[in-house]
Amino acid sequence: MKSLTLLASSRSAGKQIKFGEEVFTVEEAKPESFDNLDIAIFSAGASVSKILVPEAAKRGCVAIDNSSAFRMDPDVPLVVPEVNPEAVAGHHNVIANPNCTTAISLMALCPLHRKFGLKRFFASTYQAVSGTGVAAMEELKGQVEAFAAGKTPEVKVYPYQIAFNVLPHVDVFLDNGYTKEEMKMLNETRKIMGLPDVLCSTTCVRVPVMRAHSVAISAEFEKPVSVEEAREAISAFPGAELCDDPENKLYPMPLFFQRKVKCGVGRIRKDLAFQNGLSFWVAGDQLWKGAALNAVQIAELL
């Protein structure tokens, strides 16, 4: 990399950020900002991306977008490098980064699909407050401190108190009773894995964890399953770390998989409801593999 340009809204223009041994001054993001850039990683939300990503693309800059703006566009590759790196070749200067829970879940689903052939799955997520943003992290911290001091916790970010509670509500509700976050798991999994007929039903839950999401998955496969073969497939997959020794209380937890490149997979067992089924647990840093790390890996592919 010969040069690095940091762009943000006008509110942050002029701010200085140290990276390595250099100090960079943040510039206001404008269409002409992308004139001499090769790759731009966007993490500014769908409304900003819809305006500036096309501007970057038409100037010859490859835009890797972390928002939901272009994920389901049939002309835009939706990429998880460990799963579908070949999709990068079809880009027209725009590549989409998937939703955080989808990316983390695929670190288990992909190797198991390659081994047994995925038919359908059920998932329940346990999503950290950092997925909402820094204000949510501050709110959780403040609510815990208020509770410890015998005060009434303040509620602003979420509709209800998040400390010592769980909210079965991530993103907005749709007409079918599911949330947008829950439908992303179905639609993005189909696109990334090239499985247009795979079936999935998800319940997304916000939990009082600062960082790293967890997902409980029960999946049905085409072929007869084996726990040992499943463990071997997970161990060999580049994006996953097998963490599965219940006798010694070894299983993935968000506390130990934050700021880690790989996602932990454990609690692998034969499912009691599906004939060819496995149940398992995945934990991963949604700010890394679920967002920034995956975008950087796409840039490295390019």
Side-chain angles (χ1 to χ4, degrees), residues 112-169:
L112 295 177
H113 164 65
R114 291 175 180 174
K115 188 71 179 178
F116 305 115
L118 182 64
K119 286 178 64 178
R120 58 177 171 163
F121 65 96
F122 291 87
S124 295
T125 72
Y126 300 70
Q127 297 183 220
V129 295
S130 51
T132 305
V134 68
M137 298 173 73
E138 291 297 325
E139 180 155 294
L140 173 56
K141 182 173 179 285
Q143 288 177 356
V144 171
E145 290 172 347
F147 183 88
K151 299 178 181 178
T152 301
E154 190 175 25
V155 176
K156 287 184 177 180
V157 177
Y158 295 118
Y160 301 97
Q161 176 183 318
I162 185 62
F164 312 105
N165 193 21
V166 296
L167 303 179
H169 175 188

Side-chain angles (χ1 to χ4, degrees), residues 68 170-174 178-185:
S68 60
V170 180
D171 213 325
V172 298
F173 285 100
L174 304 173
Y178 287 83
T179 65
K180 284 179 68 177
E181 185 87 355
E182 291 161 353
M183 293 307 298
K184 288 172 188 176
M185 181 79 94

Side-chain angles (χ1 to χ4, degrees), residues 18 42 55 67 77 89 93 111 121 125 127 134 152 155 160 174 180 191 200 208 224 239 243-244 259 277 281 283 296:
K18 186 177 181 182
F42 283 77
E55 293 290 342
S67 81
N93 286 351
F121 65 96
T125 72
Q127 297 183 220
V134 68
T152 301
V155 176
Y160 301 97
L174 304 173
K180 284 179 68 177
K191 182 173 179 178
C200 157
C243 182
D244 192 24
R259 293 181 174 85
W281 174 264
V296 171

